[in-house]
Amino acid sequence: MSRIGPRTKPRSGCPLNVSVEILGDRWSLLIIRDMMLRGFCSYTQFLESYERIATNILANRLRKLERCGIVATQQDPLDGRKLIYTLTEKGMDLAPVLTEMVLWTAAHEKHQNPELIRQIKKDKQKFLANVRQRWLENSSPMD
């Protein structure tokens, strides 16, 4: 069984429990969304997202996502004081999960992004392939 963090074990071995312990708060999911769909890769970009995450929460969630292997960091080649955040393969594998969550919301709740829903419903596999392709193009090592 994989561990959630360096010293934190999941409360149970139930696969749903483990995933909820890793991803079960809104901020982690929104950070992943912003990386996956909006191409965010800097701390400043995350702070400027629609939902306005607090700096202490952002720092905490980015560290947790990195510890869990969902996000990787590297120094910004233009400014060594800054980090660039990228989704790992493990993080990118969440694309179908987040897509299904979006479709569930569209079916049962009010939302404000009909264009995203339209794209997904038109051709879900193509949508997911495009998300993965953008990730592959942006995750190549920086010079």
Side-chain angles (χ1 to χ4, degrees):
M1 179 183 338
S2 90
R3 294 165 59 105
I4 292 178
R7 287 175 290 216
T8 307
K9 289 185 179 181
R11 291 180 188 261
S12 78
C14 168
L16 182 59
N17 174 70
V18 174
S19 66
V20 168
E21 286 191 33
I22 294 170
L23 303 168
D25 72 278
R26 74 182 247 179
W27 296 117
S28 294
L29 292 171
L30 293 175
I31 289 167
I32 294 166
R33 173 209 62 192
D34 286 345
M35 295 177 83
M36 194 175 290
L37 298 181
R38 297 186 173 131
F40 287 10
C41 61
S42 75
Y43 197 85
T44 302
Q45 288 174 315
F46 296 122
L47 284 176
E48 294 172 351
S49 189
Y50 308 130
E51 292 82 11
R52 298 299 205 192
I53 188 170
T55 58
N56 61 322
I57 294 171
L58 175 58
N60 176 278
R61 294 318 185 275
L62 286 169
R63 280 192 304 272
K64 179 179 178 183
L65 291 170
E66 185 176 16
R67 275 194 323 266
C68 294
I70 294 169
V71 170
T73 59
Q74 63 184 46
Q75 283 190 319
D76 184 333
L78 302 176
D79 184 346
R81 298 170 295 169
K82 296 180 181 178
L83 292 175
I84 294 174
Y85 299 90
T86 56
L87 285 173
T88 63
E89 181 78 26
K90 181 178 178 179
M92 222 19 245
D93 284 347
L94 289 165
V97 176
L98 271 60
T99 299
E100 291 302 325
M101 291 175 76
V102 167
L103 291 174
W104 178 86
T105 299
H108 300 288
E109 302 293 332
K110 291 182 182 181
H111 59 86
Q112 296 182 354
N113 197 337
E115 177 57 24
L116 176 64
I117 304 302
R118 187 192 66 72
Q119 287 178 25
I120 295 170
K121 284 184 175 180
K122 182 178 178 183
D123 189 339
K124 187 181 349 177
Q125 294 311 312
K126 181 178 178 183
F127 174 82
L128 289 168
N130 288 338
V131 168
R132 184 164 289 275
Q133 184 60 40
R134 281 192 312 271
W135 172 73
L136 287 169
E137 290 168 1
N138 295 322
S139 66
S140 59
M142 300 176 77
D143 298 318

